[in-house]
Amino acid sequence: MRSLLALISCASILGASILGASSACAETRVFIISNQADGYGVDQCLAKGEKCGAQVARSYCQSRDFAQASSYRRVDPDEITGSVPKSGANCSHGHCDEYVAITCQR
């Protein structure tokens, strides 16, 4: 029922058909960011998907004009298309950056 009301509300706001409006209201984007240690432990909150990372993920989304973060998690470098450094010559002191995926919604 709640999703139906949101869909109807979205359609009336946009002045479009319900089917056309549902995709416009549910815009999502996944941002892949480097998860560097900051000394506060925020990096681990994001990477482990813990509650303490929720505010950081939401703030990240809001800074990019999205309303909320629907999820956040650690991303293995192998999941990312394009080359990112893996352990070896491109990593400082044998440590490579970890990456986090934050899914934002409008």
Side-chain angles (χ1 to χ4, degrees):
M1 181 69 173
R2 180 181 281 177
S3 61
L4 178 60
L5 290 175
L7 187 62
I8 292 169
S9 172
C10 187
S12 65
I13 289 170
L14 295 175
S17 71
I18 291 176
L19 293 177
S22 65
S23 63
C25 285
E27 181 184 352
T28 61
R29 183 170 295 164
V30 178
F31 294 92
I32 306 293
I33 59 171
S34 180
N35 190 37
Q36 299 172 345
D38 59 3
Y40 293 100
V42 170
D43 56 316
Q44 291 303 308
C45 290
L46 286 169
K48 292 180 180 178
E50 295 177 1
K51 281 186 173 183
C52 54
Q55 179 62 42
V56 176
R58 184 171 12 134
S59 294
Y60 185 89
C61 291
Q62 289 174 344
S63 73
R64 280 146 184 84
D65 297 326
F66 285 84
Q68 65 183 359
S70 60
S71 68
Y72 50 96
R73 67 177 181 90
R74 183 184 166 282
V75 177
D76 190 83
D78 292 334
E79 293 180 66
I80 304 170
T81 56
S83 182
V84 295
K86 301 194 174 42
S87 52
N90 293 331
C91 301
S92 61
H93 307 295
H95 175 71
C96 296
D97 290 336
E98 290 184 339
Y99 295 90
V100 173
I102 299 177
T103 304
C104 300
Q105 291 184 324
R106 291 209 196 269

